[in-house]
């Protein structure tokens, strides 16, 4: 089984049955489904309400949860744009079905969205914050939804975790109102009631070869092996 609870590095644990999710085998490829996969699956369905024919932007798309969001949005029949930071990641995103990878270090994301997707974004799966968040809001379609699953740009500061000021100013209210758009937060632990259903859906997709799950090939041998 897989589970999400404190004490995951213990050798033995008693786990409440509610938190235990069965898996067909002890393969490493199932591990990312717990947090990264569930976040993408639940957030896109329950918060983003992504549907076939819509345009979805995934920021940090080559990251742990972003790669699942890209694939799941494609499986829903969406057009998917994904941001990343290198040409190697561009190639990776193309390999998992991303329609338009954008290397933000060599391309202007706002310009790409404005030119190639003039109708706007229906759903944004956002984990970066700061300028990336601002661009996502500016390029929303009418009734568009931004799902905030994190803001990594604010995680490492002298004062700790600090939300970007641009996410709280009065201009944001006007931008959302003018498009009947919304910004919606998502924290996985608030959706425990649907973990089991989504975990089983994800497992089936992986076993059927419709969803790829990637794990670092290096062997993990105790905490001392973590760089």
């Amino acid at each position: 089984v897989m589970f999400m609870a404190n004490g995951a590095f213990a050798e033995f644990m008693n786990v409440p049955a509610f938190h235990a999710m069965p898996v067909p085998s002890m393969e490493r490829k199932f591990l990312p489904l717990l947090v990264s996969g569930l976040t993408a699956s639940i957030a896109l369905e329950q918060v983003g309400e992504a549907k076939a024919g819509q345009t979805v932007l995934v920021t940090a798309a080559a990251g742990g949860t972003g790669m699942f969001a890209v694939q799941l949005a494609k499986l829903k029949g969406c057009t998917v744009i994904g941001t990343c930071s290198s040409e190697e990641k561009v190639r990776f995103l193309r390999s998992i079905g991303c329609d338009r990878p954008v290397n933000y270090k060599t391309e202007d994301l706002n310009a790409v969205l404005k030119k190639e997707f003039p109708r706007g974004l229906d759903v944004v799966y956002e984990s970066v914050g700061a300028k990336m968040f601002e661009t996502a809001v500016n390029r929303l379609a009418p009734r568009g939804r931004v799902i905030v699953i994190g803001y990594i740009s604010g995680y490492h500061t002298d004062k700790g975790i600090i939300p970007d000021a641009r996410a709280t100013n009065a201009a944001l209210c006007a931008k959302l109102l003018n498009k009947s758009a919304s910004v919606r937060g998502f924290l996985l632990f608030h959706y425990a009631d649907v973990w089991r259903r989504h975990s089983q859906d994800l497992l089936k997709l992986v076993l059927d070869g419709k969803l790829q799950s990637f794990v670092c090939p290096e062997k993990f041998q105790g905490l001392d092996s973590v760089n």
Side-chain angles (χ1 to χ4, degrees), residues 2-215:
M2 300 188 298
F3 71 96
M4 285 189 288
N6 292 330
F9 291 105
E11 292 185 44
F12 301 98
M13 279 190 69
N14 287 323
V15 180
F18 174 76
H19 290 155
M21 290 170 275
V23 290
S25 64
M26 295 293 289
E27 294 179 75
R28 292 192 300 172
K29 66 182 180 182
F30 298 126
L31 288 175
L33 301 182
L34 267 182
V35 177
S36 298
L38 283 178
T39 296
S41 182
I42 298 171
L44 286 174
E45 178 194 280
Q46 305 250 323
V47 184
E49 302 175 39
K51 297 178 177 62
Q54 295 185 332
T55 301
V56 176
L57 170 66
V58 179
T59 64
T65 188
M67 66 178 71
F68 284 112
V70 167
Q71 296 178 82
L72 292 171
K74 284 300 298 178
L75 288 170
K76 290 178 180 292
C78 300
T79 297
V80 182
I81 309 148
T83 69
C84 62
S85 60
S86 71
E87 290 307 304
E88 180 183 4
K89 291 178 180 179
V90 165
R91 292 190 292 273
F92 169 71
L93 289 177
R94 287 200 180 104
S95 75
I96 59 172
C98 185
D99 297 292
R100 180 52 164 104
V102 179
N103 180 350
Y104 62 81
K105 290 188 175 180
T106 60
E107 293 189 275
D108 184 300
L109 176 62
N110 187 66
V112 169
L113 295 175
K114 188 174 182 179
K115 179 181 179 181
E116 300 181 25
F117 303 92
R119 193 186 66 80
L121 305 167
D122 298 296
V123 180
V124 181
Y125 189 78
E126 221 293 272
S127 61
V128 178
K131 185 178 179 180
M132 191 72 74
F133 173 85
E134 189 174 24
T135 298
V137 170
N138 289 341
R139 299 265 64 89
L140 282 174
R143 298 173 65 179
R145 290 86 65 197
V146 177
I147 315 167
V148 177
I149 66 156
Y151 47 97
I152 56 178
S153 61
Y155 289 174
H156 301 289
T157 69
D158 293 338
K159 296 181 180 179
I161 299 176
I162 302 176
D164 191 273
R166 284 172 289 195
T168 59
N169 62 25
L172 176 62
C173 297
K175 291 174 182 179
L176 297 176
L177 176 61
N178 288 339
K179 293 183 177 179
S180 295
S182 60
V183 175
R184 310 175 181 184
F186 175 86
L187 192 62
L188 182 59
F189 289 95
H190 293 153
Y191 290 82
D193 58 316
V194 293
W195 284 359
R196 187 172 296 275
R197 173 171 66 85
H198 279 267
S199 66
Q200 293 304 309
D201 289 345
L202 290 169
L203 282 169
K204 187 176 188 308
L205 288 172
V206 170
L207 292 172
D208 289 347
K210 296 179 180 179
L211 181 68
Q212 298 183 70
S213 177
F214 300 90
V215 181

